[in-house]
Structures are given as C-alpha cells and as structure tokens.
Amino acid sequence: MKAGEAEAVRWYLQGTKDAKTAEKNARAGDFEVSCFLFQQAAEKILKGLLILKGERAGVTHSVLKLVQTCATHAPDFQSLTDAAARLDVLYLPTRYPFALPGGAPYEFFTLAHAQQALDAY
C-alpha cells in the first residue's frame, strides 16, 4: 500500500468510527454530540477520498466544499451537495452555546436532528 493510500485509509477508518460513535450518542440521548459526530464522520471520509485522489485534504471543515472538490473527480458527488450543506450547519451550534439564540446545545438538539444528521451522512 502506498503512503497516500495508507493515509486515506486512516481518515476513512476514523470517519466510520465517528459515525458509529454518533449512533451510540443518539441512542444515549446525547443528540448534539451525535449531530456533531455525523458531520465529522462525513468530513473525515471525504478527506480520505481526496487524499486517495492525490489531493491535500486541507484545513476546511466544510462538508459542502469537500463534496464539491470530490465532484471534480467524480461528478456523481454533486448530488450530495444538499446533504453536505445540512451537515455543515451542525458544525458550530452542536458544540458552542454562543452559536444558539438561547440555551445550550444539549437543550436544543433532539432525536429528530440526530436522525436528519444520520440521513445526511
């Protein structure tokens, strides 16, 4: 296995682990954590794919931007832009109270949000 392939696999494996952990958090009622981890899972898996394609994964946390870059290699990725945008909006408000108009993330996010994040992932 080439060095780039090994690095891509590391990103992919961490992404899939994050998704499994997101599912566990949803079952435990930690919906804000679940939503964040689904966003992270998608981000890491896409970065792994870009590394595999010989690209530098970059420092972006935008799933949408990553999907758009992946679409330059495989146009079918363009169909994922709506789902990617839904995941992007979970990046900050699932973790930081300042990103919400009132309350803390654990008070705001629900099972429905976690399910929507899973569906978008």
Side-chain angles (χ1 to χ4, degrees):
M1 185 178 296
K2 297 178 186 174
E5 291 172 347
E7 185 66 6
V9 168
R10 286 174 10 121
W11 281 87
Y12 172 80
L13 291 175
Q14 187 60 54
T16 58
K17 173 72 167 117
D18 286 354
K20 290 175 185 171
T21 303
E23 290 174 359
K24 290 177 190 175
N25 277 278
R27 286 192 299 273
D30 297 324
F31 306 122
E32 79 288 1
V33 177
S34 176
C35 290
F36 174 67
L37 287 173
F38 279 125
Q39 185 278 336
Q40 287 290 285
E43 178 183 334
K44 290 170 186 170
I45 290 169
L46 291 167
K47 285 182 176 183
L49 176 62
L50 290 173
I51 291 167
L52 188 62
K53 295 293 185 180
E55 294 215 21
R56 187 167 171 253
V59 295
T60 187
H61 297 289
S62 171
V63 176
L64 178 59
K65 296 295 181 197
L66 293 166
V67 162
Q68 290 169 336
T69 303
C70 286
T72 66
H73 298 281
D76 288 348
F77 273 86
Q78 200 62 39
S79 68
L80 301 175
T81 57
D82 287 344
R86 287 194 305 275
L87 288 170
D88 275 355
V89 300
L90 299 172
Y91 184 69
L92 287 177
T94 54
R95 298 178 298 145
Y96 301 112
F98 74 78
L100 296 168
Y106 77 91
E107 297 172 302
F108 181 82
F109 288 92
T110 66
L111 177 59
H113 291 107
Q115 184 60 54
Q116 290 167 358
L118 169 62
D119 294 343
Y121 158 79

